[in-house]
Each structure stands twice: as structure tokens, then as C-alpha cells.
Amino acid sequence: MADAVLLDIICRQGMRRLDQPVELASGAMSMDFIDVKLALCRWADLETACRAIVERVRGAGIEFDAAGGMTMGADPLAVGIAAVAGCGWFSVRKEPKRRGTRQLIEGTPLAEGHRVLLLEDATTTGASAQQAYRAIGDVGAEVVAAATVVDRGDTARRRYEALGVPYFPILTYADLGIDPVVPPA
């Protein structure tokens, strides 16, 4: 049920068919632009997405201590999931802060023994989440699952399978009725 409501939210508030293709973070081109941050900028809509993710992951018997991923895409989801799941949240910077504590990971201090849910808002290849995956591993925490609100292709699933990480796309390109995005060669 939450997935159908989320599908409606994403389609109404965050999906646009463009006249010209745009380049995505993966380098792939697409005529379909999905702005998950815009679609989920109201708490009720963000909460719907966060509850859907938590239900899917915990429904598979996976527990986690903290949720997060690369800033900016994962940030609202991380805080929302922390609120609905009663866990910690974190955010991985693209590069360590250049002053103060010079941290790469902000929020919940991750360390050995922490079980982490890795998040993305929209996924094409999963490449940006791989940077967060490495940073999490570098501090000794374990990525026990990865989730995204929208998976635009088939590449990310294969990446996570190769890592042995269960992957939970809540919506896919097929759900949205769009063509899968194929990353550039």
C-alpha cells in the first residue's frame, strides 16, 4: 500500500518528461528526470518513503543501527528513517571537512560493530553510494543493506549483489513506466 502511495507522490511531484535529454550524475542521458528531493520535500511525503524503506528492509529480517549515505541525496532519507525507525543517522561528505574535526562522516559516529543501512534517493548505477560504502567500511562499520527510493536501471542491483549486500529499490523504472537508464560505456 505504501508503495502505491509513494509511486503516486513521485509521479505527481517529482517526475518530468523533458524535451531534451539531460545528463545524470552517472554520465548517462535521460529524457525522464526524477527529482526525489522535490517529490519528498514535505514531511508527510518523506515519511511515506521512509516507512516504505524501513518496512521493506526490516520485513527481510535485517536490523540496522544507523541509516545514511552520500550527502545530499541520502540526507533527508537518513533523518526521516532515524525518526521512524528509532536509529541513528549519518551523512558521508564527498571529501573530509577541511577544518575542525576534518571528518568524512557526520552524524552518528560509526565504528566497528555498527550495522548500517546505505541510502540513495535516486539510483542509476549505484556509483556514488559506492563511495559511501567504502567510507563506512574504512571506519569498521558494516553495510547490512542498501535502499533507494527509485532505481532508474539495472546496474546498481548487480553492484550490490557482487558485494553481497541485500538491495531494496522501493520503486523502479518499470513502476514509473519509463525506459531503464543505461550507463555510458
Side-chain angles (χ1 to χ4, degrees):
M1 180 65 161
D3 294 359
V5 172
L6 183 58
L7 177 62
D8 180 62
I9 291 167
I10 296 295
C11 288
R12 274 187 306 103
Q13 298 172 186
M15 196 165 94
R16 293 187 329 200
R17 179 78 175 172
L18 305 172
D19 295 331
Q20 298 291 323
V22 293
E23 185 175 354
L24 305 173
S26 65
M29 302 298 284
S30 179
M31 299 282 288
D32 299 297
F33 187 73
I34 303 164
D35 189 339
V36 175
K37 286 178 274 309
L38 175 61
L40 303 180
C41 66
R42 291 185 30 224
W43 168 244
D45 299 331
L46 177 61
E47 182 182 21
T48 297
C50 292
R51 288 194 184 283
I53 290 170
V54 170
E55 287 171 11
R56 185 81 58 88
V57 172
R58 286 191 171 159
I62 299 170
E63 293 297 324
F64 50 92
D65 305 307
M70 290 302 296
T71 198
M72 170 89 210
D75 294 347
L77 294 169
V79 173
I81 287 174
V84 301
C87 67
W89 66 267
F90 67 92
S91 180
V92 179
R93 294 174 176 271
K94 292 182 192 264
E95 58 184 52
K97 192 173 174 180
R98 294 180 188 217
R99 61 191 184 289
T101 58
R102 303 188 192 292
Q103 294 186 129
L104 183 61
I105 302 174
E106 300 287 351
T108 299
L110 300 179
E112 192 169 328
H114 281 109
R115 298 165 300 170
V116 170
L117 172 59
L118 181 59
L119 301 168
E120 276 194 295
D121 58 350
T123 303
T124 302
T125 65
S128 62
Q130 297 302 302
Q131 184 178 351
Y133 178 88
R134 288 188 296 277
I136 293 162
D138 287 348
V139 298
E142 177 189 6
V143 175
V144 295
T148 187
V149 176
V150 176
D151 190 335
R152 301 173 51 89
D154 297 314
T155 307
R157 178 173 299 287
R158 290 190 300 271
R159 281 183 185 238
Y160 288 116
E161 284 174 358
L163 294 170
V165 174
Y167 178 55
F168 300 91
I170 305 306
L171 300 171
T172 68
Y173 62 88
D175 297 319
L176 298 173
I178 62 174
D179 293 332
V181 174
V182 179

